Amino acid sequence: MYRKASLIFSAFISLFMLALPTAANDEINVIIKKMQTPSWDCPLPSLQDELEDTLKLTSLTDKQRFELSAAKGQFLICEGKLKEALTLLNTITSQEDIDTDSYAYASAIYQIGFVYDMREHPTRCEYYNQAQQISSPEKHSDIFTSASLGLITYCSDNADEAERLSKMFSVLQRYSDDGSPAELAHIHNSIGLLYGDLEQHALAAEQYIKAHEMGLKVYKGSNKLSILISAIVSLLASGQTDEAYQRILEYGSINSEVNTPLTNYYYQYALSYYYRKTKNYSQLAYTLPDLKEAGSKVSSSLAPYFTTGIKLKFVFTTKT
């Protein structure tokens, strides 16, 4: 009787011990799923500590570590830490035996293209093209859409203005019936980028404002501000200073709750640009020290991005 009970107990313990790795593995996979964020959005800041703690686990498989590291790249980009993000993403994508069919790989390739895009470096086209090729409307659809929009906007040298706009509005048409507010905001933002690239700043501002108002329905934290700054700069570039000032006030109100180094820099940048455009040089002189201080808290790798004056892009703001 005792021997039989002992055998049953031993069998139970063995099954329990075998189940532990599976349970732990399932828990990690749940965390990975939680960290995945669409290419046009930013991860919730509240998830960052959990991500870092999970990455410290020695029990992670190579696949899990890769997926979490790809998610970390998106966090870094949203924080404006472009150099750190590029180093991480280049490191993980250069490893051997990577599942190049995975969402994490497609996301990492797209993110590298996005970093080069923010630096206005032509290498962005190489990575946007690769990201598009390894995805599709059915497979990693957000990556496919984002990469396609990037290619239309910045990598269509052989296409004229009408053709590029036609392609962009075709993407919008594809999502117009059942696209989420986040998807539609992303597309309108990309149309704004294209108009801005064509120096049609009034039309760009119109698209940015549409994108911003759609994004407000779904975005949280600093993402509420990422497109608004582009709208403000385009309004100023097109001479719509009164509307721009109202949008700056809106930005300041939202930023009183968001208050990240990157959004603070955007706010000071917008104020200084507004005072320069309206030739209010006394207020400009008063604002410049705040702009300099805010800039000192943002990655130096963003400097070329801000000196363009009007080509402010949709920064995942803080998937931080």
Side-chain angles (χ1 to χ4, degrees):
M1 180 72 176
Y2 173 78
R3 183 172 180 276
K4 183 177 180 181
S6 178
L7 288 172
I8 293 172
F9 179 75
S10 297
F12 173 78
I13 291 297
S14 297
L15 288 172
F16 176 75
M17 295 303 292
L18 285 171
L20 281 179
T22 302
N25 190 63
D26 288 345
E27 184 178 345
I28 290 171
N29 288 335
V30 168
I31 294 172
I32 291 171
K33 187 69 175 177
K34 183 165 52 174
M35 297 299 165
Q36 286 184 351
T37 310
S39 55
W40 52 70
D41 203 350
C42 278
L44 292 173
S46 58
L47 297 176
Q48 192 158 12
D49 288 343
E50 185 177 11
L51 173 63
E52 294 294 348
D53 289 342
T54 307
L55 276 168
K56 293 175 185 176
L57 297 176
T58 58
S59 59
L60 292 176
T61 65
D62 291 342
K63 178 177 181 291
Q64 289 170 336
R65 191 169 297 281
F66 180 87
E67 291 172 327
L68 289 166
S69 297
K72 181 175 179 178
Q74 207 161 348
F75 274 100
L76 291 171
I77 291 172
C78 289
E79 292 178 313
K81 297 178 179 178
L82 303 186
K83 183 178 180 180
E84 295 92 328
L86 190 59
T87 298
L88 171 65
L89 294 165
N90 279 329
T91 298
I92 65 173
T93 54
S94 64
Q95 298 176 95
E96 297 181 357
D97 301 323
I98 300 173
D99 180 6
T100 56
D101 288 329
S102 68
Y103 179 85
Y105 181 77
S107 176
I109 293 298
Y110 173 76
Q111 288 177 56
I112 294 173
F114 188 82
V115 171
Y116 281 120
D117 194 350
M118 290 183 70
R119 294 177 171 178
E120 298 189 352
H121 194 289
T123 303
R124 62 190 169 190
C125 296
E126 173 188 337
Y127 284 94
Y128 280 163
N129 184 63
Q130 185 180 353
Q132 185 194 57
Q133 292 299 316
I134 60 179
S135 57
S136 71
E138 296 76 32
K139 173 187 172 186
H140 318 323
S141 61
D142 61 310
I143 301 295
F144 179 81
T145 299
S146 294
S148 298
L149 292 171
L151 288 170
I152 295 169
T153 305
Y154 299 112
C155 311
S156 302
D157 294 338
N158 297 325
D160 60 22
E161 176 180 329
E163 183 179 353
R164 294 166 70 193
L165 286 170
S166 176
K167 289 180 179 179
M168 194 70 79
F169 280 102
S170 292
V171 177
L172 177 61
Q173 182 63 38
R174 188 190 311 155
Y175 284 87
S176 59
D177 292 334
D178 55 5
S180 70
E183 289 170 328
L184 292 170
H186 181 49
I187 297 167
H188 279 291
N189 176 74
S190 295
I191 296 173
L193 288 172
L194 179 52
Y195 276 131
D197 194 51
L198 298 172
E199 298 187 3
Q200 298 185 29
H201 303 303
L203 293 174
E206 180 182 320
Q207 293 295 320
Y208 287 139
I209 290 170
K210 285 183 180 179
H212 167 65
E213 291 177 349
M214 288 178 175
L216 279 178
K217 300 174 183 178
V218 291
Y219 292 147
K220 298 179 180 179
S222 58
N223 258 4
K224 293 180 178 180
L225 298 170
S226 56
I227 305 176
L228 182 55
I229 184 62
S230 294
I232 291 168
V233 173
S234 291
L235 286 166
L236 290 170
S238 60
Q240 301 177 72
T241 53
D242 290 343
E243 175 68 13
Y245 185 65
Q246 293 305 311
R247 294 294 177 174
I248 291 172
L249 292 178
E250 179 186 359
Y251 189 104
S253 176
I254 297 172
N255 193 46
S256 64
E257 298 180 0
V258 177
N259 191 33
T260 70
L262 194 55
T263 59
N264 290 339
Y265 183 90
Y266 282 148
Y267 180 62
Q268 296 300 331
Y269 180 91
L271 278 176
S272 65
Y273 191 16
Y274 171 75
Y275 291 134
R276 188 164 73 249
K277 289 289 288 185
T278 56
K279 299 182 179 180
N280 189 338
Y281 298 117
S282 60
Q283 283 297 322
L284 176 61
Y286 181 79
T287 303
L288 287 177
D290 292 333
L291 175 63
K292 182 178 180 181
E293 181 181 356
S296 69
K297 298 176 181 179
V298 176
S299 171
S300 61
S301 60
L302 281 170
Y305 174 68
F306 290 115
T307 59
T308 59
I310 53 176
K311 289 187 178 179
L312 286 172
K313 302 188 188 340
F314 173 62
V315 178
F316 296 79
T317 73
T318 44
K319 270 175 170 203
T320 52

